[in-house]
Amino acid sequence: PSRLILAHCTAMSRPSRRASATVTYREPTEDDVFRDPEPSEVAAAERRAAKRARSASPVEVEGRGAKRRTGKESLLDALFVNHAEVEGAPDFVYSLGGADAGGAEADRILGEVESDQTMIRLTSQFSGCRRIVLFSTGRHGVKAVAAAVIELHLGGASTGGVLEVPILASARSSRAQGHGSLLTALIVELASSRLASPAQGIVPPGSQGAVALLVSSTDEARRFWLGQGCTTIPQCAQQVAAAVRGLLQRAGQRFGQQHATLMARSLPDARVLPPGLDGEAAGAPAVRGALVGAAVERTAGRVPHSGGLSCAKAAEAAGYRDVPPAGSFSLVDGKRVPALAPGAAEADGAAPATLPLGRLQAFPVSSPVSGSSTWGAPGWGVRSLAPIKAGQAGGGGGAA
């Protein structure tokens, strides 16, 4: 018991560190709160910021109107825009940027024709690509109607460069309205006016600018690309074919969609308009937006695709009055002889002499059929949705 009491007394007599410490306090002054940072503090903050920038992936690039995220650097970054006016098409704007250009709308448009997310999101082998998105500005607001992925490949020592389009797509809800042709014309115009020569300010001095547009076409899209002036590589002009083959030797076969056909076309001289556009002759002074304007005119002037018109609709469209089968007749020796009703059988039990009216359609014809100077002249044609057997004729009639 005596030990416990002694130990307790010794502990109580030891001085406390907290009690022996001197405590002072004063209110912070304005100089303490708002003082200028020391040079060493500024240098340390700059080193930390630089380290964060180097480790960030992908790098954030400040664009016009919005931040865009890009991976590998590209000369196309000099063309970054956000909702810029499309010269030659006042009802449209476009954006050119990284994987975020066009947002979810562009993701959806590209995803309707391509499932490879590395191509859509510009990662992996497509990190040097950029997205260009076309928007309509109608009464329903700004709406993405077409999108494409593009990449610039500078030329080699003896061959020109190539602007590659791995994928181009129109929105499924607004196809057959010329949006794909309009976006293609915009890409060609940008390439020929900004990416063809070092004198245009983007291509580095001593480098070969773009002389060709290279696309990866599926079987379904081949007809579209033929309409844009593209052909398969063996059929291209010598300069275009040489540029594409040189690129294949340098970069290897990695273009676009699997099981696609490579097609290409030359880029027009930025100083002149190509022959036939807007009625101008070759060598006319270049006008900004001329290629886009020509695409708009072609779209406005073409005959809309028709799935065919029924008898009643055809009569309304062509301006005649449809005569029902019961009123159809032919003149024999000056007398009216009733025509067989559609579907009626011949006396010998053969196939019906006339086709059912419900299986006939009228369709617009814009030009003669290839190889014929008379059949298929501009106007209207008639087709049958059912097989036509020998001896059968189309039933029905009409009156002007």
Side-chain angles (χ1 to χ4, degrees):
S2 58
R3 289 180 191 169
L4 294 175
I5 293 173
L6 179 61
H8 178 71
C9 292
T10 303
M12 292 292 293
S13 63
R14 185 180 297 135
S16 171
R17 290 183 180 180
R18 183 180 295 275
S20 62
T22 302
V23 179
T24 61
Y25 174 79
R26 67 179 177 83
E27 291 289 337
T29 66
E30 184 174 333
D31 292 337
D32 294 326
V33 179
F34 299 104
R35 68 178 179 84
D36 294 332
E38 297 293 335
S40 59
E41 295 174 329
V42 174
E46 290 177 347
R47 287 194 298 269
R48 289 193 297 270
K51 184 177 180 180
R52 286 195 300 269
R54 286 193 301 269
S55 61
S57 179
V59 181
E60 286 194 358
V61 179
E62 194 72 27
R64 291 176 53 186
K67 287 184 179 180
R68 299 171 177 85
R69 304 181 70 83
T70 64
K72 181 180 176 182
E73 290 185 0
S74 170
L75 295 177
L76 294 173
D77 295 344
L79 299 178
F80 273 12
V81 292
N82 186 45
H83 288 182
E85 180 183 349
V86 178
E87 294 187 77
D91 295 330
F92 295 88
V93 296
Y94 77 98
S95 293
L96 195 158
D100 293 335
E105 285 186 286
D107 290 344
R108 174 181 51 79
I109 292 173
L110 296 172
E112 289 174 349
V113 297
E114 177 56 57
S115 59
D116 186 354
Q117 288 299 310
T118 63
M119 186 186 301
I120 296 174
R121 299 304 304 165
L122 311 186
T123 59
S124 186
Q125 60 181 340
F126 299 100
S127 60
C129 297
R130 297 297 181 263
R131 298 203 319 193
I132 181 169
V133 185
L134 181 69
F135 301 85
S136 65
T137 57
R139 57 183 180 180
H140 299 297
V142 179
K143 177 183 178 182
V145 294
V149 173
I150 60 177
E151 182 173 10
L152 176 64
H153 304 277
L154 294 177
S158 59
T159 59
V162 172
L163 183 67
E164 177 197 355
V165 183
I167 180 175
L168 184 146
S170 298
R172 183 173 295 167
S173 60
S174 57
R175 286 180 183 167
Q177 297 183 25
H179 297 149
S181 298
L182 180 56
L183 181 56
T184 302
L186 175 61
I187 293 172
V188 170
E189 189 157 304
L190 286 174
S192 61
S193 63
R194 303 295 304 278
L195 304 173
S197 167
Q200 296 165 339
I202 295 179
V203 176
S207 300
Q208 298 262 16
V211 299
L213 182 77
L214 176 67
V215 303
S216 299
S217 174
T218 60
D219 292 341
E220 295 80 7
R222 192 171 301 168
R223 181 178 178 183
F224 167 80
W225 287 117
L226 286 172
Q228 307 307 311
C230 297
T231 59
T232 56
I233 307 306
Q235 297 175 314
C236 289
Q238 183 177 358
Q239 182 187 31
V240 173
V244 174
R245 293 191 181 104
L247 177 59
L248 292 176
Q249 292 174 358
R250 296 191 303 271
Q253 184 77 34
R254 77 113 181 99
F255 300 91
Q257 302 156 321
Q258 293 183 351
H259 312 297
T261 301
L262 290 183
M263 303 179 70
R265 57 158 291 176
S266 61
L267 294 176
D269 190 333
R271 296 167 298 178
V272 298
L273 289 175
L277 293 180
D278 296 335
E280 301 280 356
V287 178
R288 297 186 66 177
L291 297 179
V292 173
V296 172
E297 290 182 8
R298 287 196 303 270
T299 300
R302 70 186 183 187
V303 177
H305 172 73
S306 173
L309 301 178
S310 64
C311 294
K313 292 291 186 180
E316 179 181 350
Y320 65 86
R321 184 167 58 88
D322 188 43
V323 177
S328 300
F329 62 89
S330 59
L331 290 175
V332 178
D333 296 332
K335 298 181 180 179
R336 292 185 180 185
V337 177
L340 288 173
E346 296 276 12
D348 57 0
T354 56
L355 293 167
L357 292 181
R359 304 296 289 170
L360 297 178
Q361 286 186 343
F363 64 95
V365 177
S366 57
S367 60
V369 174
S370 177
S372 172
S373 59
T374 56
W375 192 88
W380 290 89
V382 178
R383 63 189 175 207
S384 173
L385 301 181
I388 301 177
K389 299 181 180 180
Q392 282 188 318

